[in-house]
Amino acid sequence: MTGTAWAALGVGLILAGLLALAKLRPARGGLNSPQWMLLLGAVGMLAGMAVDAYAGGLETLSALCTGPRGLGAMVLLHVTQLPLAHAGMIGGGLLVLPLMPRLRRGCRRQLCAQLGQNLVCSAWMVVGMAAGSLVFLELAGWVQAVREPAAVLAGMFAGMVWGMVASVTLVQALVRLSLGPRHHGQRSESP
């Protein structure tokens, strides 16, 4: 597979994740808090990754290509090899906290304005980035392709989106469980 093929696969999985997120959290006009968090987190990640790449060049991403096969070890490798990319993703996502109450008045008391919820969602996105890299690198092995930075990047971005989907799904399930069956049809503002 070429870099273009990895990018196409990554974009397809990102779009599928965004569709799943739109089903889980339909927007009532404009972007909702998970969508803002993804957008700002992706911008922060790209900015941090640019600095990481400048500091270590493509060797940084190449280290991930030959990295471990376990999820915990891959998360550790991601955080140590691309620290500013991950800090940028979390920092960008945290911008949702002051942004959402300005965009939606009711957000002040809801989950989209809570630091803990945002950090848990960021953690899911970090794990998703590492898991996406692992999946794409395994796929490269199955199709006997070169394990290259394009596969890692595509997996990271797709994994970040699907990490958000996992976080939103779990938060919604926990909210439903805590409210009980009589509140099942009501929605809450959560990433």
Side-chain angles (χ1 to χ4, degrees), residues 168-183:
V168 169
T169 301
L170 289 171
V171 167
Q172 286 184 345
L174 290 172
V175 167
R176 281 190 207 110
L177 285 172
S178 69
L179 293 177
R182 68 176 187 261
H183 293 90

Side-chain angles (χ1 to χ4, degrees), residues 123-140:
W124 274 100
M125 291 187 337
V126 168
V127 170
M129 289 164 63
S133 294
L134 279 175
V135 168
F136 273 53
L137 290 173
E138 284 300 313
L139 180 60

